[in-house]
Amino acid sequence: MSADAEPAPVSAKPPVTLREVAAAAGVSVATASKALNGQGRMTAETRERIRETARLLGFRPNSLAQSLLRKRSFTVGLLTNDTYGRFSLPLMAGVSDALVDKGVSVFLCNVEDDPRLGQLHVEAMLDKRVDGIVATGKRIDRHLPVDLSNLRIPVVYAFTQPDPGAVGLVSDDAGGARLAVEQFLRLGRRRIAHVTGPESFAVVHTRAEAWRDVLKENGLPTAEPLLGAWSEAWGHDAVEKLFGKAGREGWPDAVFCGNDQIARGVIDALRERGIRVPEDVGVIGFDNWEIVAEATRPPLTSVDMNLASLGREAGLALLSLVEGQPAAPGIRKLPCRLVVRQSG
Amino acid sequence: MSADAEPAPVSAKPPVTLREVAAAAGVSVATASKALNGQGRMTAETRERIRETARLLGFRPNSLAQSLLRKRSFTVGLLTNDTYGRFSLPLMAGVSDALVDKGVSVFLCNVEDDPRLGQLHVEAMLDKRVDGIVATGKRIDRHLPVDLSNLRIPVVYAFTQPDPGAVGLVSDDAGGARLAVEQFLRLGRRRIAHVTGPESFAVVHTRAEAWRDVLKENGLPTAEPLLGAWSEAWGHDAVEKLFGKAGREGWPDAVFCGNDQIARGVIDALRERGIRVPEDVGVIGFDNWEIVAEATRPPLTSVDMNLASLGREAGLALLSLVEGQPAAPGIRKLPCRLVVRQSG
DNA sequence: CTGAAAGCGCTTACAG
DNA sequence: CTGAAAGCGCTTACAG
């Protein structure tokens, strides 16, 4: 054991450098570098001795210096405008989880809907020489308030509107809607209504179309979807519309809802009318927002967009772009899954 | 305009270096550096010419190179184990927002409750030479699954259990509870019950104690708080206990709930019993989880822990530690605020 | 098998 | 007023 060896990294001391390791092992920095990186040729003993010395000294290479040489920082930027929403959380966790094992760290960039913030963050990322950027949002039909189309680094879009020619990942909303409607059919439901969000959302149309397609394919009568707000209150109002006037025979026997909040409102309103879920009417939501789905009485069956997987895929897609693998541009749709609880 | 000047940063081209700026401006790199940093002495024209050249070339200094010299990376790590929860979101946004304007970027580190992940992320942060770390969690009486007590960089704890001798920021839960109870008193309520979470949470005791203190201070009768789960279902059960047996005179005229989900359950259960909120009974929640509070019928009055401010303060506290300002160790409590809606 | 040299992109004393 | 030199901590041809 060399006299230079420190017991353990002590607070406030600067980190151990390669130079110190080399000195302690009695070799040059070049040799030390090669020993630790498994490069070059040297006796097994030399290599082992250097490694042991490094271990003893608690040496960890300065990533900043490595990045400067390697032209890669092993960092990526994660842009989002959904810092108070619930969609970005699993998405961000997915991105981070996919990358941490590859030694890649993720910068969190909250851009809200503010172009100034967007600009600020993008410049910070570029200055810090991130290897790439994942752009994330709270809806797939809106752009972030930044232009990422002419950066010199790869960009992957996840759950937000991609630039033309870019790589984008979104959930397969049509597929998710099919899962819900087909579950109803399997349960013998035949008059399946659809209560969903505002017209201005692309997913409202995608899901409604899939709902109608499945009904048609099965020779069932279709109707207009009921559009409104993404809220419990709209769920209540929709029940009034659907179950208010007609005789019992005219009622739907199932309601496919555009999100879990609407579904929650629908279920509460049905209960207040003495209509039983799922005995009289089945209800399925969208988003699988667990804390809501599980508190609903009865617990809510819901379509899950697999956002954590989406994030993970986005992270991996970015990584392969960074590593120079060509990726087919365009939007890739990832499957949803149905989480069956008790409401439908 | 020099012949070397490029129109705009084009994709795939490597970034412009200081060397290129210097060449284009006909000076040495040293002079160029000083011109851009406002250092050294030179004619105003020289400085201006260099700056103009840099602007034209779209020069942005390589932050990695700067960090290597300055011994500061202008990055910090943000550890959290609450990636699927709702507490960390405003907290993280607050940290990020406070720092982006100072040129400091934030690494997102999702450690779940997994020591391996914790270790992995802390090592990545250290390797990347972050200037400091903010540790964040989902409850203030639990440690993250990592030991941050002997790092050579400053650490600030926000909404998670700090190490002894460290700087920690938490919400003032006792103060928050007082706000709720005092609001009830102001409204003339006198029999104020408390329905809250499980015994294992420190905040359950803190809030219950404050609730009881305010009652005592006002000469009102106190009782035992009702402990249960942090769920709507427990809210329902608690209403059964409070309003089930006794005659109307024995009923509380107000219920202070430990979180918004419990409050939601309480309000729903009261409605189902035909007890009016707020006419017959006032209800106040905790957390001000807007999407729940606003959907409750009537909309829920709730205590807000100001988590975004907490995050902001944590970011700023870390920054001053990084800059060498001494900070008093110990736990700093930040005030809550009451958001009055209609339930109490 | 090992080391001296050059260099990543920048900054900062120090000369002139 | 401006530039040459040294250096941050590392890696990678290139000699020997």
Side-chain angles (χ1 to χ4, degrees), chain A residues 17-18 30 33 37 59 62 66 69:
Chain A
T17 66
L18 184 60
S33 170
N37 293 317
F59 171 73
N62 183 331
Q66 293 182 312
L69 276 292

Side-chain angles (χ1 to χ4, degrees), chain A residues 265-286:
Chain A
V266 164
I267 288 182
D268 282 350
L270 289 173
R271 185 181 336 98
E272 284 166 21
R273 286 175 177 270
I275 301 175
R276 294 165 308 164
V277 175
E279 293 82 353
D280 302 326
V281 177
V283 177
I284 297 183
F286 212 104

